[in-house]
Amino acid sequence: MTLKDAQNGFIISEATKMFLESSIDKVTISAIAKRVGVGEATLYRRFSTKQTLVMECALYLGKEVYGRFQVPSEEGTGYERLHRFYDSYLEIFIKDPSYYAFLFQLDNMLPEAPADEMHAYESGIDAFWDLYNAAYGAGLEDGTIRNVGDERLFYYSTTHALQNLCKKLTCQGNLIAQDASLDKAGEVRCLIDIIMYSLHA
């Protein structure tokens, strides 16, 4: 790793912390430059726009979160591995809801992201599919899950539903009076239970 790579890594790490502590909209390039001890011009030379820096932070966060979803193949049946995979959404919701707030804000930026930045972001997302696919295959082999037919459709439908629920409850959790009386973690857990019931052999 070069000195420049290390410096960029430090900037991305600190900017990520700032976005999670506050929000993408509220954190300015000026504030990030001050926190990492460089001038704004230097920051713009390294990351041409704020959006570019935000996308780098999204990639960094994705790698951090990826570790929580990994379930070693020797630990449990395919069904148990899939359960742990889905449970990771709830674990993050409880322990690090700011991650879902970041994703909620990021969604508004993605339509404007350049193709090369989107490609890198999408490649990171594909890594989660690989984890899921391995556990799903193990479940079919050991007989603990049923064949859902279109596995990729099932994966995207269920993970999008879970992620969007977590984002909504994090950022828009009290839009109506009934929201305040509900167990938000319980809602996420309920959806996971429904998914797992539909997978069980």
Side-chain angles (χ1 to χ4, degrees):
M1 178 186 291
T2 66
L3 177 60
K4 184 177 180 180
D5 289 337
Q7 290 171 336
N8 285 353
F10 174 69
I11 292 169
I12 291 167
S13 174
E14 290 303 304
T16 300
K17 291 174 187 175
M18 294 177 74
F19 291 138
L20 293 175
E21 290 164 2
S22 180
S23 71
I24 292 173
D25 291 338
K26 291 178 181 177
V27 175
T28 65
I29 287 292
S30 174
I32 295 170
K34 183 176 181 180
R35 177 151 167 171
V36 300
V38 301
E40 285 186 58
T42 300
L43 209 56
Y44 277 118
R45 279 195 296 273
R46 293 174 182 268
F47 308 95
S48 57
T49 65
K50 180 180 176 181
Q51 178 173 290
T52 297
L53 179 54
V54 170
M55 292 299 291
E56 289 291 339
C57 292
L59 291 172
Y60 172 81
L61 261 180
K63 291 174 184 176
E64 292 288 306
V65 169
Y66 176 80
R68 300 190 186 192
F69 283 79
Q70 294 190 66
V71 183
S73 58
E74 64 273 13
E75 292 186 10
T77 65
Y79 178 87
E80 290 166 340
R81 289 165 61 190
L82 285 173
H83 208 317
R84 177 70 185 88
F85 179 90
Y86 284 115
D87 279 347
S88 297
Y89 286 90
L90 177 60
E91 177 187 319
I92 294 167
F93 179 77
I94 293 171
K95 295 181 179 179
D96 299 296
S98 58
Y99 172 68
Y100 289 115
F102 177 88
L103 291 183
F104 184 83
Q105 298 157 39
L106 181 66
D107 286 347
N108 295 323
M109 299 183 68
L110 292 180
E112 306 300 323
D116 59 331
E117 293 177 5
M118 279 301 299
H119 178 71
Y121 181 67
E122 289 167 353
S123 295
I125 292 173
D126 285 342
F128 290 85
W129 156 253
D130 293 337
L131 286 177
Y132 181 92
N133 188 42
Y136 179 85
L140 289 180
E141 189 172 336
D142 64 27
T144 55
I145 68 166
R146 69 181 187 84
N147 190 326
V148 297
D150 190 334
E151 177 199 352
R152 187 174 285 268
L153 177 63
F154 186 88
Y155 165 78
Y156 280 111
S157 297
T158 55
T159 56
H160 284 166
L162 260 177
Q163 192 173 93
N164 286 329
L165 176 60
C166 291
K167 287 189 287 189
K168 178 190 182 301
L169 293 175
T170 299
C171 299
Q172 301 174 319
N174 292 308
L175 292 178
I176 58 176
Q178 291 92 326
D179 290 338
S181 64
L182 293 174
D183 173 6
K184 294 177 177 57
E187 287 189 61
V188 178
R189 189 176 292 108
C190 181
L191 180 53
I192 292 171
D193 288 345
I194 293 168
I195 293 168
M196 294 313 301
Y197 180 81
S198 67
L199 275 168
H200 205 290

